[in-house]
């Protein structure tokens, strides 16, 4: 659990990137946030695992292409050995293999390096709170892949039902997730707060047994909502 300093929860974060020119400035910038402590900077996956073992750690901001142990395998090991540690991927790669590999390994967020400081800190905070944040480009790739996979074979039903107890608002939220909107985008679209959006998402995920945001996109498409 994150530390409390002056009544405010502080997230303990590891920044992992094999390039010092990226890793060090990023760690310095994140360290300026009032609620983030950068407790380690790692050049490869092995250093990440060692730093987590020395812990405690709440979130790892993870590059994918690193020597010794890459980001996907490191994420998989963290998910298995330290499920309390959330992983947010920050990478230049937005291809299907990288996205699906990272999310399948247990990453809670996925950003490209075009993301700004506010986007990165928002994703870290969301991951620390058990939420998922995906870059818009990543969401679009997931949508395209999910639509292709969700296309029914000849003779198969074209829709997969959702639980009957979903509220109209929860269906709206699922529809907007399926369209690739972030929590902020959903809040603006529905004229509600981001906190309310998170509540609807938590209820929706619990009722429909949805694992994460990528799974929500697939379910929205399969149900004909996106």
């Amino acid at each position: 659990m994150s530390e409390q300093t002056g009544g405010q929860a502080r997230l303990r974060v590891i920044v992992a990137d094999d390039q010092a020119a990226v890793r060090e400035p990023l760690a310095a910038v994140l360290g300026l946030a009032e609620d983030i402590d950068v407790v380690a900077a790692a050049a490869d996956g092995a250093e990440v695992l060692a730093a987590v073992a020395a812990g405690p750690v709440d979130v790892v901001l993870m590059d994918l292409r690193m020597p010794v142990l890459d980001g996907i395998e490191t994420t998989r090991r963290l998910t298995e050995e330290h499920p309390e540690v959330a992983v947010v991927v920050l990478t230049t790669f937005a291809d299907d293999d990288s996205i699906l590999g990272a999310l399948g390994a247990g990453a809670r967020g996925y950003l490209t390096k075009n993301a700004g400081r506010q986007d990165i800190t928002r994703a870290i905070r969301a991951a620390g709170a058990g939420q998922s944040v995906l870059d818009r480009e990543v969401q679009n790739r997931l949508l395209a892949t999910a639509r292709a996979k969700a296309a029914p074979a000849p003779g198969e039903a074209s829709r997969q039902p959702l639980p009957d107890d979903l509220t109209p608002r929860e269906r709206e939220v699922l529809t907007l997730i399926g369209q690739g909107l972030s929590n902020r985008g959903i809040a603006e679209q529905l004229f509600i707060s981001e906190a309310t959006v998170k509540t609807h998402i938590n209820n929706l995920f619990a009722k429909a047994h949805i694992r994460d945001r990528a799974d929500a996109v697939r379910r929205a498409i399969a149900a004909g909502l996106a």
Side-chain angles (χ1 to χ4, degrees), residues 12-82:
R12 296 162 295 213
V13 176
I14 294 174
V15 175
D17 195 295
D18 64 326
Q19 298 182 43
V22 173
R23 180 177 68 247
E24 293 173 3
L26 185 55
V29 168
L30 291 177
L32 297 175
E34 293 182 356
D35 57 342
I36 292 176
D37 283 329
V38 178
V39 296
D44 57 57
E47 291 186 8
V48 170
L49 295 178
V52 169
V57 175
D58 299 305
V59 181
V60 177
L61 187 64
M62 185 87 72
D63 188 21
L64 289 186
R65 307 295 169 88
M66 297 185 294
V68 184
L69 197 64
D70 68 25
I72 291 178
E73 180 57 27
T74 305
T75 299
R76 182 175 293 110
R77 294 193 190 183
L78 286 175
T79 300
E80 293 174 353
E81 300 169 13
H82 300 278

Side-chain angles (χ1 to χ4, degrees), residues 165-209:
D165 60 345
L166 290 188
T167 66
R169 181 62 92 189
E170 288 162 359
R171 286 180 176 271
E172 282 184 295
V173 169
L174 181 58
T175 297
L176 295 174
I177 291 175
Q179 293 173 1
L181 271 67
S182 64
N183 285 7
R184 175 174 292 185
I186 293 171
E188 292 173 352
Q189 183 82 11
L190 299 179
F191 301 102
I192 57 179
S193 70
E194 284 191 63
T196 301
V197 171
K198 290 178 182 178
T199 298
H200 287 312
I201 289 175
N202 288 338
N203 293 338
L204 164 66
F205 281 22
K207 290 179 181 178
H209 304 291

Side-chain angles (χ1 to χ4, degrees), residues 116-131:
R117 179 176 63 85
Q118 289 186 339
D119 295 323
I120 296 171
T121 53
R122 188 181 306 121
I124 289 172
R125 290 169 183 142
Q131 303 291 331

